[in-house]
Structures are given as C-alpha cells and as structure tokens.
Amino acid sequence: MKNSMVVLATLGLAFSVNAATLVPMKGVSVYFINGQEAEERIGKNELDQGENQVVVRMDKKLGKGSSSNVYTSAPYVLTVNVTGEEVKINHPVARSEQEAKVAFRGDTPQWRVTQDGYALAYEQEKLKGKDGFMPYMQMDELIAAHNAERGISFTSGEMVVAKSAAPVATAAVATTAVATSVAATTGASASKASASAASKEVVASQASDNVGQLQAWYLKASKQERKEFRKWMIDQE
C-alpha cells in the first residue's frame, strides 16, 4: 500500500509539472491548441509546459433585450509560454457591440491573458481568412497554412519554429507591433507548397465542423445576405 501511494504521488507530481489548465473566460471560444482542434471550445483544456499556440475568438452576446446581438470576432493565433498551473484568456474590454468593434479595429486587440493570477505576455496574429462569404469556414486548413508559412510544427505536443522561418508580427500584453518581414520569391513558393501539403494532411486527419459553422453564420446573416447566399447555393447545383 505504501509503495502504491508513492507511485500515485509521483504521477501526480509529474502531471502538475508537465501540464497546465487553459480556462477561456465567458465570451471566449478556443478553436485549436497546438495545431489540433480543442477538446472543449468554451471549457477547460490542457496545455503543455513551454510554448503553446492557442487559436481563439471573441463570441459573445452584447447588449440587452431586443437590441442585443452576438458579436463574433475574427480568429486570433496567440502564443504563450506556459510555466504555471492555470492560464486564463479573456476577451478585450467590450461592454457593447460598438466597443467590441473598436477593440478589434486593428490586428492587435488587447486580450487579457493571465497565468496563476498574474498578467502573462503573449504574441498574436490575426488569422488570415479566405475571400468572400464565411472566410473562416475551413479553419483547420487556414491554421495549417498559417503554421506552414511560418515554419511552425508540433512534435509530441511541443511547438517548434524552424530557424529559417521569416519573423512575424507579435503583440505582448498592453503593446502592439507591426509586421516587418519580407519573403523572397523562392521562399514564398516553397512556403505555398508546404502549406498545401500541410493542409491536405490536416483535412485527412481531422473531421470538419463545416455544417455547424454554416448554420451559425447563416443565422447571424441579415435577410439580404441570406437571400444572396440561397441564390448562390442554387447556382452551385
């Protein structure tokens, strides 16, 4: 019995050292963690110690009564260095839809990220979407392309950035930055090829939630947008 207790205590210590808990606050949705779809979109997830990539967006009902509306931001790719036990991510201060629009006007909104109760520095990039209606419908492909272009990969859950990868725009807590990297023509061509290969691999290994996202965006669309979308659907048949 004594030996069993020692083993359990050792396992518990190993878990606490090697893992942390990610807690999205109300109004924050977590889509991907280290290239994989999050197990819980609005619940707790596990993070490894060290560098972690988390894809989040603000998705919150703002306003009161008949004037209330759901505000959904673009997805943002956050990178955090985890050394503690609990990381919380809260959306930028937004008590109204107008405030939310102002908060997300630029590419570096002020997410409120803490670790064990203290402000945690982070880097962020707005995920580039596709043109047209529902630009983030196939988010898994977009993230695969995003990471491939930046030389980011994940080995046994550990985030690895290729040394030859071009620098990208980042933002720490309460700061903003502007991208300054310029890719050479040959490098850009290689990145596109890598992105294509990575996208195909992700599509083959992950189930897409396209239907759910289609429904969500359709419900949020205006009557005119729904009409145009239905017409577009008919033209595709």
Side-chain angles (χ1 to χ4, degrees), residues 31 57-59 70-75 132-139 209-222 225-226 229:
Y31 283 81
R57 74 195 311 175
M58 178 177 171
D59 192 4
V70 175
Y71 179 85
T72 300
S73 73
F133 189 62
M134 292 183 293
Y136 298 105
M137 191 173 113
Q138 294 178 307
M139 200 181 297
D209 60 347
N210 291 350
V211 174
Q213 292 190 43
L214 274 169
Q215 293 172 339
W217 279 102
Y218 184 81
L219 292 174
K220 293 176 185 178
S222 65
E225 288 171 335
R226 293 183 185 184
F229 181 58

Side-chain angles (χ1 to χ4, degrees), residues 21-47 52-59 73 75-78 87-91 111 139 143 209 213:
T21 302
L22 173 66
V23 182
M25 306 306 286
K26 185 177 180 181
V28 175
S29 297
V30 179
Y31 283 81
F32 283 79
I33 298 175
N34 294 336
Q36 300 296 319
E37 189 171 356
E39 292 185 5
E40 299 291 339
R41 186 160 292 181
I42 58 174
K44 296 180 180 180
N45 289 276
E46 185 176 298
L47 292 178
N52 284 264
Q53 182 189 84
V54 184
V55 181
V56 298
R57 74 195 311 175
M58 178 177 171
D59 192 4
S73 73
Y76 284 79
V77 183
L78 306 187
V87 175
K88 293 183 178 180
I89 299 181
N90 203 349
H91 59 75
W111 300 91
M139 200 181 297
I143 294 169
D209 60 347
Q213 292 190 43

Side-chain angles (χ1 to χ4, degrees), residues 73-88:
S73 73
Y76 284 79
V77 183
L78 306 187
T79 302
V80 294
N81 185 23
V82 178
T83 58
E85 297 181 359
E86 184 179 70
V87 175
K88 293 183 178 180

Side-chain angles (χ1 to χ4, degrees), residues 103-144:
F104 286 95
R105 184 170 293 168
D107 292 339
T108 54
Q110 299 302 302
W111 300 91
R112 291 170 286 171
V113 185
T114 62
Q115 179 174 250
D116 298 337
Y118 296 92
L120 178 64
Y122 62 90
E123 298 176 350
Q124 70 169 317
E125 276 194 277
K126 181 178 179 181
L127 185 65
K128 184 178 179 181
K130 298 179 180 179
D131 295 330
F133 189 62
M134 292 183 293
Y136 298 105
M137 191 173 113
Q138 294 178 307
M139 200 181 297
D140 53 353
E141 293 186 15
L142 298 175
I143 294 169

